[in-house]
Amino acid sequence: MNNLRVIFGLLIGLAAMMARADLSESVFVPKEEMEFAKGYLSEVRERNYEYVFSHIDPELSSQVSEEKLDEIAAYFPSGQLLSTVLIGSQVHTYNEVWQGNFTFEYQFESGWAVANAALQRKADKMTVIGFNVYRTKASQKELNKFELTGKSALHYLVLLAACIVPVFIIVSVFYCIKTPIHKRKWLWVLFVLGGIGTMSINWSTGALGFKIAEYQLLGAGVVASGEYAPWILSVGFPLGAMVFWFKRKSFIEQDKASKLSQQNASNDDTSA
C-alpha cells in the first residue's frame, strides 16, 4: 500500500499543478458575471427579496415564493461570514444566449455552505434562471482531498488497476517497438499505447462512470478541476497490449520464416 501511495501521490502532484487555488483570478472566469452571481446570493442570504425577485427570469418567477426563499436562505449557517470562495465556473453560449453557472463556498462561524447561481443573458439583459444552497460538514477542499483510509474495496481495486495498467502498457510498448512487425508497426504501437474504454470513480463519493467508445493514453488518468473538486480516477482496458502479447510469438516466427526464405533464395542464387 505504501508503494501505491507514492506512485499515486506523484500522479496527484502532477495534476495539482494544473489546478488553481483562486479560481476567481482565472482568465477564463468572467468577472462581471461572477460578481453579479456572488452579489445575488448575498441578497438571498440577507433576505432582500425585492432585489431577488427583480432579477429572476420570468420563466422562473412563478415557481418562487417568499416562503421558498425563506427555506433556501435558512440553509446559510448563522453567525459571521468569514470567507467566500469561488469553487466552480461554467459558461457557454448557444443560439446567441449566454449562460453561466457559478458556485461559491461560504465559511461562517457556525459552519460551511455551498451555493450556486445560474445566470442567463439574452438581448443584453441578465437574469437568474436558478439558484440553490446546501450546508456541508466541512470545506470542499477537506471533503475532497485524496486519502487512502476509509475507502471501499472498489476504490482500492480501481487504484491498483490505475497503477498497474500504465506500467503494463509501457513495458508492452517497449517490446512492441523491439519486436519485428513487418506491416503497419506504427499502428500496433498506437494500439498498444492506450486503453480501450474507461471506468472512472469519484474518489470522494465512490460514484462510478463508464465509457465504452474511448481511447485513453497509457490506460489510466487522474484529474481534479480544482482544489475544491473531487479527484476522478479512471482506468481503461489494455486491449492493445494484451492482443500484442498474444500475437508476439507469431510475429517473431513470421520474421524468422521471412529471413530463412530470403537466405534460401540467396543460396539458390549463389548455386546457380
Side-chain angles (χ1 to χ4, degrees):
M1 187 60 70
N2 288 335
N3 290 336
L4 289 181
R5 187 191 297 271
V6 172
I7 294 172
F8 205 65
L10 292 174
L11 293 175
I12 288 179
L14 183 62
M17 292 175 63
M18 304 300 294
R20 295 184 62 92
D22 191 352
L23 183 61
S24 64
E25 296 300 321
S26 170
V27 295
F28 299 107
V29 175
K31 304 301 185 291
E32 180 182 349
E33 291 80 358
M34 183 267 292
E35 290 295 341
F36 178 87
K38 182 179 179 181
Y40 187 85
L41 291 170
S42 177
E43 298 298 336
V44 172
R45 182 172 64 88
E46 297 293 338
R47 291 178 166 80
N48 182 0
Y49 295 157
E50 181 179 354
Y51 178 90
V52 172
F53 278 115
S54 68
H55 290 85
I56 291 180
D57 193 84
E59 295 183 6
L60 180 65
S61 59
S62 61
Q63 306 174 32
V64 181
S65 63
E66 287 197 9
E67 290 76 14
K68 183 65 176 178
L69 289 175
D70 281 332
E71 181 182 338
I72 294 174
Y75 280 102
F76 285 106
S78 59
Q80 181 181 354
L81 175 62
L82 302 179
S83 67
T84 304
V85 180
L86 178 71
I87 63 173
S89 172
Q90 296 177 323
V91 298
H92 71 275
T93 302
Y94 181 73
N95 288 339
E96 298 184 353
V97 176
W98 179 94
Q99 289 187 347
N101 195 316
F102 301 92
T103 304
F104 301 88
E105 179 178 80
Y106 298 83
Q107 181 184 8
F108 292 83
E109 289 180 321
S110 59
W112 299 82
V114 171
N116 83 289
L119 312 180
Q120 178 175 276
R121 182 190 291 113
K122 187 186 299 183
D124 294 328
K125 183 179 181 181
M126 182 83 71
T127 57
V128 177
I129 58 176
F131 57 95
N132 65 70
V133 182
Y134 62 93
R135 294 191 184 188
T136 63
K137 297 179 180 179
S139 169
Q140 296 300 298
K141 186 188 299 187
E142 178 68 22
L143 295 174
N144 290 321
K145 70 179 182 180
F146 181 81
E147 291 182 323
L148 288 176
T149 58
K151 299 301 179 180
S152 68
L154 184 59
H155 281 83
Y156 298 128
L157 180 62
V158 177
L159 174 59
L160 182 63
C163 293
I164 292 176
V165 168
V167 175
F168 175 56
I169 286 178
I170 290 172
V171 171
S172 300
V173 168
F174 173 79
Y175 278 94
C176 183
I177 293 172
K178 302 287 286 184
T179 298
I181 302 175
H182 295 284
K183 293 183 178 181
R184 299 181 178 88
K185 186 171 185 175
W186 65 274
L187 283 177
W188 271 101
V189 172
L190 288 178
F191 186 33
V192 173
L193 192 58
I196 306 300
T198 58
M199 178 178 71
S200 61
I201 187 169
N202 182 312
W203 197 256
S204 298
T205 67
L208 290 175
F210 299 91
K211 292 182 179 180
I212 298 176
E214 183 165 303
Y215 175 90
Q216 186 168 39
L217 190 64
L218 296 182
V222 56
V223 64
S225 59
E227 277 193 318
Y228 298 87
W231 291 97
I232 306 298
L233 175 63
S234 59
V235 59
F237 183 69
L239 178 64
M242 296 183 71
V243 171
F244 162 73
W245 284 108
F246 179 77
K247 292 183 67 64
R248 182 171 183 265
K249 185 177 180 180
S250 66
F251 287 143
I252 295 174
E253 289 176 349
Q254 289 173 13
D255 180 66
K256 288 180 178 179
S258 177
K259 288 181 178 178
L260 181 59
S261 177
Q262 291 176 6
Q263 184 178 356
N264 290 336
S266 176
N267 291 336
D268 291 342
D269 291 340
T270 303
S271 298

